[in-house]
C-alpha cells in the first residue's frame, strides 16, 4: 500500500524542502546538488523503500560461535542492508562535509546539502541513518582531535565513497549503572605500551557491527566524574595481525523499534584501544560527536514527520467517507494543515542547525553563532523528536483502523520515531542542558539576537521565560526547564517560518508539556 501512496519522487514532491534550499543555498550550490537530491528522492520511493522493508523482514542476527566452537561474535546483515550502506557511501552522506573539493566548491553549505540528502534517505531505509550519524560524528572528532595516523588510516575510511572501502563507526558511551549520567561510567583503561586496554561493559552499542567505535573509559588513577574520562578508538580488528579484538557481543537488544539496526551489549576484556586527543578532555571531545548525532536525530525526526504527512495526504485524496473524500472535509483539512505545520517547523529549525554547523566547521561563524548552535542543537533535537512521535501518531489516526495495520508501514514508522526522544539525550536531559547553556550570557544574547533578527512572533514571552529560569533558584528553574525549551523552540520556528513566508500556526497536536 505505501508505495502507491508515496510520490514518484519525494524530493520533487516536497515543496517546503525545495523552497528552503532555493532560499538558503547560493544558486550555484543548488544547481550542483540538485541532480543528487532528485536521484535520492526517486530512490526513496523505489529501491531504498524496498531494501528498507527487506531489512525489517530479515533483521541482523548475532553469530557468537563458529562451527568449531570458537568465539567469533559476527553480526550477520541481510544483503539489503549492504545495499543501503552502498548508497549512503556513494552519495557521500558522511563524506560531503570532509571532502576538500566539496568544501572548496560550496564551503559550509555542504552541511545543508548533506542534511537534505539524509532527510530524503532516512524514512525509507530502516534507520540506516543511525550508522551514518555516528560515522559522521566519529569523523569529526578524529579530524579535529585524532593523531595523524588516525586521520590517515581511519578517517579516510569513514568518509570514503567507495562501498568496498567505507567503514562505519559506533559510539560506546552508555553503561548500565549510569545511562545519561556518564560521569558514573566504570569501564577502565590501562596503558599497555603505546596503546591501551579497556575492561568493563557497555550497555547500549548501536551499529554494533561497526569497524571502529569511539568509547569513553576512565584511565587507572583518573578522577571521578566526567573530568576523569578519556576518549578511545576501539577497532574491530586489533593490530598487529588484524585478529578479532578482545571484546564480546553478549547479545543484541530486543527493541520496540529500529529492529533492522543491530544494537548490542558489549563486554570489553582487555580490548585494544587507542587514545584520541587529550586524555583529560575525553568527554569534551565526545561532545563534538554528540552535536552531530543530535543533528542527524533532528534530520530523521523532520523526515519522519514529512513522510507521515505525505502518506496521510495521499490517503485523504483516495479515501471516501460520508459521501466525499477525506481531503474535502474541513476538519480533516485542518488536521492535515496542523501536521504539515509541524513538519515545516521541524525542517526549518533542523536546517538552521545544519547551516550553523557548516559555518562553524569552515571558520565563518563568530562567537555568537557558536553559542547559538550550542543551545540550538539541544532545542532542535528535543523538540523535533517529540513532535515526530505526535505527528506519526496523528497520521495513524488519519488512516483509521487501517493505520493500525502493519502492512501500511505506519506502525513501524511510529515505533522507529519513538526512539528519537530517547537517543542522544531525553527531553528532560536536553532541557536541563539547554538551561545550563542559557546561564551563560553569550548564549542568552545569541538566542535573543536570533529571535529579533527573525522578528519571531512569540519572542518576548519565550525570552522572558528563559531569563527567569536562568536566574531562578535551582529547583524552580529545573521544574521550568521543559517549558522554557519548548517556548524557545516554538518561537524560533515561528521566526524561521515567518521569514520564509510560511503560515505560522500554534502547535495543536503536539505532545504539550504540563
Amino acid at each position: 500500500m505505501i508505495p502507491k501512496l508515496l510520490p514518484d519522487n519525494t524530493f520533487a514532491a516536497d515543496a517546503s524542502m525545495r523552497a528552503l534550499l532555493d532560499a538558503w543555498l547560493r544558486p550555484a550550490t543548488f544547481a550542483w546538488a540538485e541532480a543528487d537530491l532528485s536521484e535520492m528522492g526517486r530512490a526513496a520511493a523505489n529501491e531504498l523503500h524496498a531494501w528498507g522493508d527487506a531489512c525489517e523482514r530479515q533483521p541482523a542476527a548475532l553469530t557468537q560461535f563458529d562451527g568449531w566452537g570458537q568465539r567469533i561474535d559476527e553480526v550477520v546483515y541481510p544483503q539489503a542492508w549492504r545495499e543501503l550502506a552502498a548508497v549512503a557511501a556513494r552519495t557521500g552522506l558522511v563524506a560531503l562535509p570532509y571532502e576538500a573539493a566539496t568544501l572548496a566548491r560550496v564551503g559550509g553549505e555542504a552541511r545543508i546539502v548533506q542534511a537534505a540528502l539524509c532527510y530524503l534517505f532516512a524514512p525509507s531505509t530502516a534507520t540506516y541513518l543511525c550508522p551514518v550519524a555516528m560515522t559522521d560524528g566519529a569523523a569529526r572528532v578524529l579530524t579535529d582531535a585524532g593523531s595523524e595516523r588516525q586521520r590517515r588510516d581511519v578517517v579516510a575510511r569513514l568518509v570514503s565513497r567507495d562501498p568496498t572501502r567505507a567503514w562505519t563507526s559506533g559510539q560506546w558511551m552508555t553503561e548500565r549503572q549510569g545511562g545519561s549520567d556518564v560521569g558514573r561510567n566504570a569501564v577502565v583503561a590501562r596503558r599497555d605500551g603505546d596503546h591501551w586496554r579497556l575492561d568493563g561493559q557497555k550497555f547500549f552499542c548501536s551499529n554494533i557491527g561497526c569497524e571502529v567505535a569511539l568509547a569513553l573509559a576512565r584511565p587507572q588513577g583518573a578522577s571521578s566524574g566526567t573530568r576523569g574520562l578519556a576518549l578511545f578508538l576501539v577497532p574491530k580488528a586489533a593490530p598487529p595481525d588484524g585478529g578479532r579484538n578482545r571484546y564480546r557481543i553478549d547479545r543484541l537488544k530486543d527493541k520496540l523499534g529500529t529492529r533492522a539496526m543491530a544494537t548490542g551489549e558489549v563486554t570489553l576484556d582487555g580490548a585494544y584501544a587507542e587514545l584520541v586527543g587529550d586524555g583529560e578532555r575525553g568527554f569534551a571531545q565526545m561532545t563534538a560527536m554528540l552535536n552531530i548525532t543530535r543533528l542527524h536525530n533532528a534530520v530523521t525526526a523532520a523526515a519522519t514527520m514529512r513522510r507521515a504527512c505525505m502518506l496521510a495526504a495521499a490517503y485523504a485524496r483516495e479515501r471516501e467517507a460520508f459521501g466525499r473524500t477525506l481531503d474535502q472535509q474541513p476538519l480533516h483539512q485542518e488536521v492535515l494543515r496542523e501536521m504539515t505545520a509541524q513538519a515545516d517547523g521541524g525542517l526549518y529549525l533542523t536546517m538552521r542547525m545544519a547551516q550553523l554547523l557548516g559555518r562553524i566547521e569552515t571558520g565563518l561563524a563568530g562567537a555568537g553563532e557558536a553559542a547559538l548552535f550550542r543551545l540550538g542543537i539541544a532545542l532542535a533535537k528535543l523538540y523535533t523528536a517529540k513532535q515526530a512521535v505526535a505527528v506519526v501518531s496523528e497520521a495513524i489516526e488519519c488512516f483509521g483502523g487501517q493505520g493500525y495495520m502493519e502492512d501500511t508501514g505506519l506502525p513501524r514508522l511510529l515505533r522507529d520515531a519513538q526512539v528519537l526522544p530517547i537517543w542522544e539525550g531525553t527531553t528532560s536531559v536536553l532541557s536541563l542542558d539547554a538551561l545550563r547553556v542559557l546561564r551563560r550570557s553569550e548564549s542568552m544574547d545569541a538566542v535573543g539576537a536570533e529571535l529579533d533578527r527573525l522578528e519571531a512572533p512569540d519572542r518576548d514571552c519565550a525570552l522572558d521565560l528563559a531569563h527567569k529560569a536562568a536566574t531562578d533558584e535551582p529547583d524552580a528553574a529545573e521544574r521550568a526547564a521543559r517549558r522554557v525549551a519548548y517556548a524557545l523552540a516554538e518561537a524560533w520556528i515561528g521566526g524561521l517560518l515567518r521569514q520564509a513566508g510560511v503560515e505560522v500556526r500554534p502547535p495543536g497536536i503536539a505532545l504539550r508539556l504540563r
Side-chain angles (χ1 to χ4, degrees):
M1 184 175 184
I2 284 183
K4 296 178 182 177
L5 294 177
L6 284 178
D8 292 336
N9 187 309
T10 59
F11 176 62
D14 195 334
S16 296
M17 172 58 88
R18 293 183 64 85
L20 184 149
L21 294 177
D22 187 54
W24 289 22
L25 294 177
R26 290 170 295 174
T29 301
F30 195 7
W32 170 78
E34 191 167 15
D36 283 345
L37 291 164
S38 182
E39 170 58 18
M40 186 66 82
R42 183 208 61 77
N46 292 282
E47 63 267 27
L48 294 183
H49 191 274
W51 290 331
D53 279 353
C55 290
E56 290 291 332
R57 291 193 300 270
Q58 183 190 351
L62 174 62
T63 300
Q64 291 182 304
F65 299 92
D66 67 11
W68 300 99
Q70 299 296 312
R71 190 80 186 232
I72 57 172
D73 285 346
E74 190 67 30
V75 181
V76 180
Y77 293 95
Q79 180 58 31
W81 187 259
R82 304 295 181 190
E83 299 288 356
L84 295 175
V87 171
R90 284 196 299 268
T91 313
L93 294 191
V94 175
L96 273 167
Y98 303 94
E99 295 169 324
T102 297
L103 292 173
R105 183 166 194 159
V106 303
E109 291 179 335
R111 277 289 179 190
I112 298 177
V113 174
Q114 179 205 33
L117 286 166
C118 289
Y119 167 95
L120 296 167
F121 177 87
S124 293
T125 50
T127 62
Y128 191 83
L129 201 66
C130 179
V132 169
M134 292 185 291
T135 305
D136 187 359
R140 181 79 269 152
V141 170
L142 293 173
T143 296
D144 291 347
S147 66
E148 182 179 346
R149 191 201 61 76
Q150 289 167 346
R151 290 193 294 272
R152 182 186 69 243
D153 295 346
V154 180
V155 174
R157 291 275 199 156
L158 298 178
V159 304
S160 175
R161 287 186 184 242
D162 179 354
T164 66
R165 285 184 45 80
W167 284 357
T168 63
S169 177
Q171 176 181 299
W172 297 357
M173 191 163 63
T174 308
E175 297 179 18
R176 181 183 286 108
Q177 74 285 349
S180 295
D181 187 1
V182 177
R184 296 181 63 192
N185 279 13
V187 168
V188 174
R190 50 189 170 83
R191 189 180 290 277
D192 182 14
D194 62 354
H195 57 274
W196 295 73
R197 298 286 176 181
L198 305 188
D199 293 279
Q201 293 182 313
K202 292 291 183 180
F203 197 53
F204 280 101
C205 302
S206 297
N207 189 32
I208 190 61
C210 57
E211 285 78 16
V212 293
L214 291 184
L216 289 173
R218 196 176 307 281
Q220 289 178 323
S223 61
S224 60
T226 56
R227 291 181 182 275
L229 295 173
L231 184 60
F232 296 91
L233 177 71
V234 182
K236 181 178 181 180
D241 60 359
R244 189 173 67 86
N245 203 351
R246 289 166 58 179
Y247 63 80
R248 301 189 302 276
I249 303 175
D250 298 319
R251 64 169 177 164
L252 299 186
K253 298 284 196 181
D254 186 9
K255 298 173 291 182
L256 170 69
T258 66
R259 288 177 170 270
M261 198 274 303
T263 301
E265 298 174 14
V266 168
T267 296
L268 300 147
D269 186 14
Y272 172 95
E274 300 173 8
L275 183 67
V276 176
D278 186 342
E280 296 182 352
R281 299 191 68 253
F283 185 72
Q285 291 169 170
M286 193 69 152
T287 300
M289 186 174 193
L290 290 175
N291 286 339
I292 287 174
T293 52
R294 286 170 179 169
L295 174 59
H296 282 281
N297 199 94
V299 167
T300 302
T304 298
M305 287 189 272
R306 184 68 65 202
R307 176 60 56 88
C309 289
M310 284 184 172
L311 295 175
Y315 187 74
R317 291 191 292 270
E318 301 293 331
R319 177 65 168 170
E320 290 187 9
F322 307 108
R324 51 184 171 170
T325 56
L326 294 178
D327 69 343
Q328 294 175 322
Q329 303 194 28
L331 180 55
H332 201 78
Q333 291 170 352
E334 182 68 10
V335 170
L336 293 176
R337 280 194 292 266
E338 288 185 354
M339 291 171 62
T340 300
Q342 291 297 300
D344 286 344
L347 172 64
Y348 271 82
L349 184 59
T350 297
M351 296 302 279
R352 177 63 171 137
M353 294 306 108
Q355 183 183 55
L356 286 169
L357 179 61
R359 289 180 58 80
I360 291 167
E361 289 179 337
T362 54
L364 297 176
E369 286 177 297
L372 184 63
F373 177 76
R374 177 68 183 86
L375 172 65
I377 197 62
L379 297 178
K381 190 276 180 187
L382 73 87
Y383 190 85
T384 59
K386 207 73 165 176
Q387 301 312 90
V389 176
V391 169
V392 178
S393 181
E394 194 72 30
I396 289 176
E397 195 172 338
C398 286
F399 277 66
Q402 191 60 26
Y404 204 64
M405 300 298 107
E406 286 289 345
D407 59 4
T408 65
L410 284 164
R412 188 178 90 208
L413 200 64
L414 180 60
R415 285 195 299 270
D416 290 351
Q418 191 62 65
V419 79
L420 298 172
I422 298 170
W423 191 57
E424 302 301 52
T426 63
T427 307
S428 291
V429 166
L430 290 175
S431 295
L432 293 172
D433 183 42
L435 182 61
R436 283 189 292 272
V437 174
L438 283 167
R439 291 192 174 114
R440 304 171 189 165
S441 60
E442 64 269 22
S443 299
M444 190 71 77
D445 292 345
V447 72
E450 173 81 349
L451 297 183
D452 285 343
R453 178 184 70 84
L454 296 170
E455 298 180 8
D458 298 322
R459 62 188 181 277
D460 291 340
C461 179
L463 290 171
D464 285 347
L465 278 173
H467 279 289
K468 184 177 186 305
T471 57
D472 211 340
E473 60 92 12
D475 286 354
E478 285 197 16
R479 282 191 291 269
R482 279 188 172 215
R483 194 160 57 250
V484 170
Y486 261 58
L488 286 172
E490 288 171 0
W492 202 338
I493 285 171
L496 289 166
L497 293 180
R498 191 210 64 78
Q499 184 189 60
V502 178
E503 181 184 9
V504 180
R505 299 171 64 90
I509 60 170
L511 300 178
R512 303 311 305 272
L513 303 174
R514 297 291 185 261

